[in-house]
């Protein structure tokens, strides 16, 4: 407990205590009860909701980005396979040969 000069209420600790009440408490040895009122927000916590929506939105956009990248990769692969098959001629695997159809 900090010692304060006798007769003076603590200026930084509780400036709302009237000086005569403080002196009476000092003289009689009665305890001084300090009540601090706080404001407790009882409304909707908008900040937490917005952060959750932002994280969910970023995850959804990232998921769609992966889908688009996969589609582009599959499209490029299909195109490359088509070009290679056109240039190579018949394809044979395990004794089975496939000839590509030629339309004239």
């Amino acid at each position: 407990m900090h010692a304060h000069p006798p007769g003076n209420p603590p200026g930084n600790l509780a400036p709302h205590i009237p000086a005569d009440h403080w002196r009476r408490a000092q003289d009689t040895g009665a305890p001084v009860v300090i009540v601090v009122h706080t404001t407790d927000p009882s409304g909707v916590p908008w900040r937490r909701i917005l952060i959750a929506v932002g994280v969910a939105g970023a995850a959804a956009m990232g998921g769609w980005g992966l889908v688009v990248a996969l589609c582009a990769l599959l499209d490029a692969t299909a195109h490359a396979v088509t070009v290679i098959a056109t240039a190579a001629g018949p394809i044979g695997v395990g004794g089975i040969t496939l000839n590509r159809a030629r339309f004239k």
Side-chain angles (χ1 to χ4, degrees):
M1 181 126 187
H2 297 292
H4 296 286
N8 296 326
N12 293 333
L13 192 80
H16 60 280
I17 299 174
D20 57 337
H21 293 299
W22 177 259
R23 285 188 202 102
R24 189 175 324 124
Q26 289 284 323
D27 292 341
T28 62
V32 176
V33 178
I34 300 171
V35 178
V36 179
H37 296 283
T38 60
T39 57
D40 206 14
S42 60
V44 179
W46 288 109
R47 184 172 185 180
R48 267 203 273 171
I49 291 172
L50 288 176
I51 289 174
V53 168
V55 169
M61 294 297 286
W64 278 112
L66 286 174
V67 168
V68 169
L70 183 61
C71 289
L73 183 63
L74 289 175
D75 182 51
T77 303
H79 182 69
V81 167
T82 303
V83 168
I84 291 170
T86 303
I91 300 173
V93 176
I96 299 173
T97 305
L98 299 174
N99 291 322
R100 56 188 169 87
R102 293 186 184 187
F103 298 103
K104 293 185 179 184

